[in-house]
Amino acid sequence: MTKLSGKIALITGGSRGIGEAIVRRLSAEGATVYFTYNSSPDKASALAQELSAHAVQADVANADSVNNLIKTVLEHPANTAKRIDILVNNAGITKDTLVLRMSENDWDSVIDTNLKGAFLTSKAVCKPMMSQRAGKIINIGSIVGITGNAGQVNYAASKAGLIGLTKSFAKELSSRNILVNCVAPGYIDTDMTAKISDEQKKALQSSIPLGRTAQPSEIASVVAFLASDDASYITAQTIVVDGGLAA
């Protein structure tokens, strides 16, 4: 029996990158997986069909959309237990630029998706998890939420906020056996890093003690651990997965 057999998992922003890797890993561990997408319906549909998972279009920055998402998952025919055991807040965007060039919209849209989205989704899932007296909420942060990064004031602020949100939710929900943790990845081998030059990639890798960027699956492995019973006494923590970059 795999570690998450019988569990119902919801991953936001699950159609690509780290989110897709998490969807694949939790599915492989036996969970019934629901994931959200906000664009690229064909890609989301193909992934859902491949894994026998369930794709739901949702805007995590919109409260009505989030409430409808939770209702959809709880009432879906495949969710016979009518519960949500695992929530992974992965949906996020970037709008990078130097602070003097950053517009108010650049700031608002990143904060709304990355931080407000995690707040809304976590708040909406609290009621069923409290009724169950069990649940796991895992927020996907970033090392830049700890270190900061030039050109990413909005993104770094949103990810730093996730750490505070994680700790506060964990304290409020611990009496109901709901565990809340954050995973803070460093540089990941994604479509974004694939576009940089060989020289830039070499410089980036040389700044990392392990000498390489991470694979999305390596982040998914940490999420799978936190979602499992193996992590039954871990809450309010931020797990840094950065190859030693911020050590």
Side-chain angles (χ1 to χ4, degrees):
M1 180 178 291
T2 48
K3 290 185 177 181
L4 300 179
S5 292
K7 301 294 186 182
I8 307 298
L10 170 61
I11 299 99
T12 66
S15 64
R16 63 182 68 188
I18 293 173
E20 178 183 348
I22 294 169
V23 168
R24 290 184 180 280
R25 181 58 185 269
L26 299 195
S27 293
E29 292 290 350
T32 298
V33 173
Y34 295 82
F35 67 92
T36 73
Y37 66 96
N38 201 19
S39 59
S40 304
D42 292 344
K43 181 175 176 58
S45 178
L47 180 63
Q49 185 172 0
E50 177 190 348
L51 301 176
S52 296
H54 310 280
V56 184
Q57 188 169 22
D59 177 6
V60 297
N62 180 280
D64 288 339
S65 181
V66 168
N67 290 332
N68 287 335
L69 165 66
I70 300 304
K71 184 174 185 288
T72 296
V73 174
L74 289 172
E75 295 180 355
H76 190 268
N79 187 358
T80 55
K82 306 304 178 189
R83 57 189 290 138
I84 299 174
D85 300 290
I86 302 156
L87 168 65
V88 182
N89 285 311
N90 172 74
I93 62 171
T94 59
K95 290 198 173 183
D96 298 347
T97 189
L98 295 175
V99 66
L100 291 177
R101 299 174 182 169
M102 186 173 290
S103 69
E104 185 176 358
N105 182 67
D106 290 337
W107 172 269
D108 287 346
S109 58
V110 170
I111 296 295
D112 283 352
T113 298
N114 299 6
L115 183 56
K116 180 183 174 183
F119 161 72
L120 290 174
T121 311
S122 298
K123 179 182 177 182
V125 88
C126 278
K127 188 172 182 179
M129 284 189 174
M130 289 176 75
S131 297
Q132 297 161 194
R133 300 192 71 85
K136 300 286 187 74
I137 299 174
I138 302 163
N139 298 315
I140 305 302
S142 170
I143 192 62
V144 304
I146 298 171
T147 65
N149 198 33
Q152 290 192 307
V153 167
N154 48 5
Y155 185 74
S158 71
K159 296 302 185 178
L162 273 181
I163 295 174
L165 182 145
T166 296
K167 292 178 180 294
S168 299
F169 263 86
K171 290 179 182 296
E172 288 197 22
L173 302 176
S174 59
S175 64
R176 296 299 182 98
N177 195 37
I178 300 170
L179 310 185
V180 188
N181 291 290
C182 181
V183 177
Y187 291 107
I188 311 300
D189 190 11
T190 62
D191 292 342
M192 181 182 72
T193 53
K195 294 176 182 176
I196 66 177
S197 69
D198 289 342
E199 184 177 344
Q200 290 172 317
K201 187 173 295 186
K202 185 177 180 180
L204 172 62
Q205 292 173 343
S206 69
S207 70
I208 302 169
L210 284 183
R212 64 176 179 85
T213 53
Q215 295 297 313
S217 60
E218 293 177 298
I219 309 305
S221 293
V222 179
V223 173
F225 164 69
L226 290 173
S228 75
D229 290 339
D230 291 339
S232 59
Y233 200 61
I234 300 174
T235 195
Q237 301 304 305
T238 296
I239 311 297
V240 175
V241 189
D242 70 346
L245 179 64

